[in-house]
C-alpha cells in the first residue's frame, strides 16, 4: 500500500523466496525452484520464515504485474476453503474408523 520499490526476501529452512515490488505492485517472484505466480503461491504456503525488505532493489526481470492485496485476499479465501475441506475429510475418516472399531 506504500507504493514501495524493492525486494521482499523470505527464508524458510533451506528455501529462499524473493518477491519484487515496483510502485507497490508485484512484478517478479521466485523461489529456489519456481518463478512468477507459482513462486508466490509456494511462499504463501510456507508456515514459517524470516523476512527482510530490501528497498530500491531492481528485479532481474519484469514478468508479472499483480496487486499484493488481491493475492493475499484470494489466497486467504482459498486456504480457508482448503483447511475446511481438509478438516471435513479428517473428521469423515475418523468417524469411519471409529464405527469400524465399534
Amino acid at each position: 500500500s506504500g507504493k514501495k520499490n524493492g525486494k521482499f526476501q523470505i527464508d524458510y529452512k533451506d528455501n529462499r523466496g524473493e518477491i519484487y515490488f515496483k510502485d507497490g505492485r508485484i512484478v517478479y517472484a521466485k523461489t529456489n525452484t519456481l518463478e512468477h505466480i507459482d513462486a508466490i503461491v509456494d511462499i504463501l504456503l510456507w508456515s514459517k520464515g524470516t523476512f527482510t525488505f530490501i528497498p530500491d532493489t531492481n528485479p532481474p526481470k519484469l514478468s508479472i504485474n499483480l496487486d499484493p492485496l488481491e493475492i493475499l485476499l484470494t489466497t486467504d479465501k482459498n486456504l480457508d476453503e482448503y483447511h475446511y475441506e481438509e478438516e471435513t475429510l479428517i473428521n469423515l475418516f475418523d468417524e469411519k474408523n471409529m464405527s469400524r472399531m465399534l
Side-chain angles (χ1 to χ4, degrees):
S1 68
K3 308 279 187 206
K4 300 279 184 185
N5 296 327
K7 176 174 70 169
F8 186 71
Q9 182 174 299
I10 307 96
D11 293 298
Y12 174 63
K13 296 184 180 180
D14 293 333
N15 298 310
R16 170 166 286 170
E18 297 176 352
I19 300 175
Y20 290 84
F21 293 86
K22 181 172 174 57
D23 298 324
R25 296 190 59 88
I26 298 171
V27 294
Y28 181 71
K30 73 174 190 165
T31 63
N32 294 353
T33 57
L34 299 169
E35 283 187 303
H36 318 299
I37 192 71
D38 294 330
I40 294 170
V41 171
D42 188 40
I43 291 166
L44 290 172
L45 292 173
W46 297 354
S47 61
K48 295 181 183 178
T50 57
F51 63 90
T52 306
F53 185 75
I54 305 164
D56 302 317
T57 304
N58 293 321
K61 58 185 168 182
L62 302 176
S63 61
I64 51 181
N65 184 11
L66 301 170
D67 179 353
L69 185 57
E70 283 181 36
I71 295 292
L72 290 174
L73 292 174
T74 301
T75 303
D76 187 50
K77 179 184 174 222
N78 289 336
L79 284 175
D80 282 347
E81 289 173 6
Y82 170 77
H83 288 299
Y84 172 77
E85 291 171 7
E86 180 183 44
E87 185 176 310
T88 302
L89 287 173
I90 289 168
N91 289 337
L92 180 65
F93 285 118
D94 284 345
E95 288 172 12
K96 285 184 178 182
N97 287 334
M98 290 301 290
S99 63
R100 283 188 201 148
M101 294 161 80
L102 297 174

